[in-house]
Amino acid sequence: MGEGTRPLFEPSFNRAVKVRGGQDRLTSDAGMLLLREADHRLSLTQSLSAGLHDRRDPNRIRYTLVELLRERLYAMAQGYDAQDDADELAHDPAMRLAAWDRPGRRVQEERLASQPTQSRLLDALGNDKPNIERLRLALAGWLGRHLRATGNDHAARRIIVDVDSFPIQAYGSQAGAEYNGYYGEVVFHPLVASYSVGGDYDGFQNGQRLGQGFIHAVNRAGNVHTASGAKRFFRETARKARQLGYVAEMRFDAGFAEGAILDFLTEEKIPFLGRLKANSRLHGMAAPYLKRPAGRPPKEGRETLVELGMYRAKSWRHAQRVVLVIVDCPDRKTGQLFLEPDYFFLVTSYAAAERPAEERLGCYRQRGTFEDRLGEFRQWIGPKLSSPDFASNEATLLLSLLAFNLANMLRCELEDGAGACWDLGRFQKSVLKAGGRIVKKARRVIVDLAQAVVPLWKQVVARLRQWRLPKRFPAPRRPAYRSFMPPPRHAFLTRVIRE
């Protein structure tokens, strides 16, 4: 056996098995092609790149902005969270087919941008404020295109918008990364808003999942309070939400239930539902209802809802409806009731005749499905904000949210077609991280998929074919022919392992 055909590995458990390496047309990320198909049908990265400022010399450009964006977004959607992953994916055949904005077979042979080029992209986006705002607008814009393409150009009747903050751990000396006493870590503390139809991210609407995803986000320093800048954030979120639903209700936890925010929502006639921080006055209002009735309690415990009427704190301009929720359930291990029942307060803009207390409590508890989505974003997209300047890290955060929205569109289509819920990590591993072999045949490039993923891809592709982007949106533009500029002399044409 010659040197060129010598096996890379001969397993000792079975000498008949020979493992060979060096095949540059195999991929474990064939899902890049699904991401590009969804992207192309809705003209997502094309519309985004068209509004970005590109200060580079056109005569010295090898990679256009849309190609750099695709490479970055598709990598994040596949679960590659480090910038160094670009050096590996630059040589992946599926990524090359998906990211290049050129037709023909040669795209499979040309390497993509490396990590330093991707870092310069972040600098270009972060150091230009209009570019940052364009990324921010694309969050709701992309979801609006998906909603219109799947809903016959109609907005949803009613959506719930969840607002929350969360930490992103920072390492090193990044601008804006500060110690947060609540989380006990050096973090960034961004604000995000996400919408879902009906408020349940795991629910179906007459057999069709209409849409969900992040519609607004801002990065903040790590030591700011949860509600810092929240009033301005709510205003911008409400403006974007009106494009997605005829009625958009805000839902939030106790950290945002402050007078300035509640008064703003009331005066703007924006419906809301949130948890209210307890104080001595509220404790006094709840005290008469906390006495347990005589007799043996039921085995499963009791849950009592009490309308406390209209309540106005000293710092509020408007009184709000408050609902007391008393949860008196036994300990799961001992079966004994606790010394005192647990209770909390809900505040809402809806009157009792419009939305009974039971409906308000059920809607608030559906917020847990949003927290699941936020957890999926942190675990499976997991942006690493490692740039030294704050603006570049905000650009990374917004790109990662766009990547989540893109992957989530496909995940939701599979969920609706298959009639089951899929965790994003499971979707990445089972659908997007698909093995494939690229074969050149005549003038075509054939991608042979691993047999295990074919049934899942059939369901997703069938759903994509039903998308109808309204004519008022610019039609997706096909890739255009243009000459290839060779990579610089220092670029590696094959992957190099860094020590």
Side-chain angles (χ1 to χ4, degrees):
M1 182 179 293
E3 180 70 22
T5 57
R6 180 176 298 173
L8 173 69
F9 174 49
E10 294 184 0
S12 59
F13 62 85
N14 189 342
R15 294 296 183 181
V17 177
K18 310 296 180 184
V19 180
R20 295 191 301 176
Q23 173 58 265
D24 62 350
R25 295 181 183 176
L26 296 178
T27 181
S28 60
D29 290 292
M32 303 281 190
L33 301 174
L34 272 183
L35 295 169
R36 174 64 185 273
E37 181 65 13
D39 176 6
H40 176 73
R41 285 180 175 269
L42 300 179
S43 191
L44 300 179
T45 52
Q46 283 182 9
S47 63
L48 172 58
S49 62
L52 296 176
H53 297 164
D54 189 355
R55 302 180 184 277
R56 298 175 298 169
D57 183 353
N59 297 322
R60 303 182 65 182
I61 290 177
R62 173 171 166 81
Y63 311 105
T64 63
L65 272 181
V66 70
E67 290 163 347
L68 294 175
L69 286 170
R70 285 173 185 154
E71 186 180 2
R72 186 68 175 157
L73 290 168
Y74 299 170
M76 287 179 164
Q78 294 278 119
Y80 293 98
D81 57 357
Q83 288 190 32
D84 284 346
D85 293 327
D87 289 331
E88 172 187 351
L89 296 173
H91 307 286
D92 185 89
M95 175 63 93
R96 291 185 298 210
L97 289 175
W100 278 112
D101 200 32
R102 294 178 170 96
R105 300 189 307 169
R106 189 176 172 183
V107 295
Q108 198 272 322
E109 302 169 353
E110 293 285 339
R111 62 153 290 161
L112 293 168
S114 61
Q115 178 270 326
T117 304
Q118 286 291 335
S119 295
R120 288 191 290 272
L121 170 67
L122 294 178
D123 292 339
L125 295 175
N127 294 327
D128 192 316
K129 188 173 181 181
N131 282 346
I132 285 285
E133 295 308 314
R134 183 65 180 169
L135 289 177
R136 216 185 311 274
L137 288 173
L139 288 171
W142 284 17
L143 295 176
R145 285 174 178 245
H146 180 229
L147 180 65
R148 300 285 179 168
T150 57
N152 296 321
D153 199 15
H154 292 294
R157 291 188 176 181
R158 176 174 177 263
I159 66 172
I160 303 293
V161 179
D162 289 283
V163 177
D164 207 351
S165 65
F166 67 98
I168 298 180
Q169 192 169 3
Y171 304 91
S173 56
Q174 292 90 357
E178 302 288 348
Y179 181 80
N180 188 298
Y182 180 82
Y183 298 109
E185 294 176 335
V186 176
V187 297
F188 292 96
H189 195 193
L191 267 177
V192 295
S194 177
Y195 97 102
S196 66
V197 177
D200 186 357
Y201 289 77
D202 292 334
F204 292 84
Q205 296 292 318
N206 300 321
Q208 184 178 15
R209 189 182 300 272
L210 291 178
Q212 54 179 253
F214 294 100
I215 64 174
H216 189 42
V218 295
N219 196 17
R220 302 182 301 176
N223 57 355
V224 301
H225 183 266
T226 298
S228 176
K231 181 178 177 180
R232 180 173 64 253
F233 186 85
F234 271 86
R235 180 185 295 110
E236 184 63 18
T237 299
R239 185 185 68 81
K240 295 180 177 181
R242 294 189 188 101
Q243 305 170 14
L244 301 170
Y246 295 108
V247 176
E249 179 180 349
M250 299 291 177
R251 187 168 59 183
F252 45 86
D253 62 14
F256 299 96
E258 297 186 346
I261 296 174
L262 298 182
D263 289 336
F264 163 74
L265 295 175
T266 301
E267 292 165 5
E268 295 295 324
K269 298 182 180 179
I270 300 172
F272 63 85
L273 169 64
R275 187 162 173 168
L276 191 62
K277 290 181 181 179
N279 55 42
S280 58
R281 183 179 169 192
L282 287 172
H283 285 310
M285 295 172 65
Y289 305 100
L290 300 181
K291 296 180 181 179
R292 291 183 173 126
R296 183 184 296 275
K299 184 177 180 180
E300 66 279 4
R302 300 187 182 92
E303 185 173 86
T304 307
L305 302 179
V306 180
E307 291 282 357
L308 294 182
M310 302 301 290
Y311 165 82
R312 185 171 71 88
K314 292 182 179 179
S315 61
W316 299 5
R317 292 194 298 271
H318 305 281
Q320 307 292 348
R321 173 192 172 197
V322 174
V323 177
L324 169 66
V325 182
I326 305 172
V327 181
D328 195 12
C329 296
D331 184 86
R332 292 183 179 180
K333 294 183 178 180
T334 64
Q336 300 294 319
L337 290 176
F338 294 98
L339 185 62
E340 294 181 349
D342 188 21
Y343 62 96
F344 60 92
F345 305 91
L346 295 178
V347 59
T348 181
S349 60
Y350 282 107
E354 296 177 287
R355 295 283 191 271
E358 293 78 8
E359 189 275 341
R360 294 286 78 192
L361 177 60
C363 182
Y364 185 78
R365 283 179 170 164
Q366 288 176 347
R367 179 177 162 81
T369 60
F370 157 70
E371 294 174 347
D372 290 341
R373 289 295 189 267
L374 190 56
E376 289 180 359
F377 168 73
R378 297 177 63 187
Q379 181 175 3
W380 300 112
I381 304 296
K384 288 183 169 57
L385 307 187
S386 55
S387 299
D389 62 293
F390 185 85
S392 295
N393 283 325
E394 184 166 39
T396 301
L397 172 64
L398 295 174
L399 286 172
S400 64
L401 292 169
L402 287 170
F404 177 91
N405 285 350
L406 177 58
N408 193 53
M409 291 176 193
L410 293 174
R411 186 258 298 269
C412 290
E413 295 295 344
L414 177 61
E415 285 182 327
D416 196 20
C421 292
W422 284 61
D423 177 83
L424 182 61
R426 181 189 176 199
F427 180 76
Q428 284 179 341
K429 295 175 182 178
S430 301
V431 180
L432 297 182
K433 305 289 289 185
R437 181 180 62 180
I438 287 79
V439 180
K440 290 184 178 180
K441 187 174 182 181
R443 295 185 178 181
R444 300 182 183 276
V445 178
I446 309 298
V447 180
D448 293 320
L449 283 177
Q451 186 177 6
V453 303
V454 171
L456 299 174
W457 275 51
K458 283 183 177 180
Q459 292 200 36
V460 175
V461 171
R463 302 286 298 189
L464 295 183
R465 288 173 177 168
Q466 297 176 15
W467 289 2
R468 297 291 182 269
L469 188 64
K471 294 182 179 179
R472 55 193 173 84
F473 293 102
R477 177 179 56 81
R478 292 186 177 183
Y481 285 99
R482 73 178 193 276
S483 61
F484 275 99
M485 178 178 292
R489 293 181 179 180
H490 61 268
F492 295 104
L493 299 183
T494 59
R495 188 186 177 193
V496 175
I497 304 299
R498 297 180 177 178
E499 296 182 357

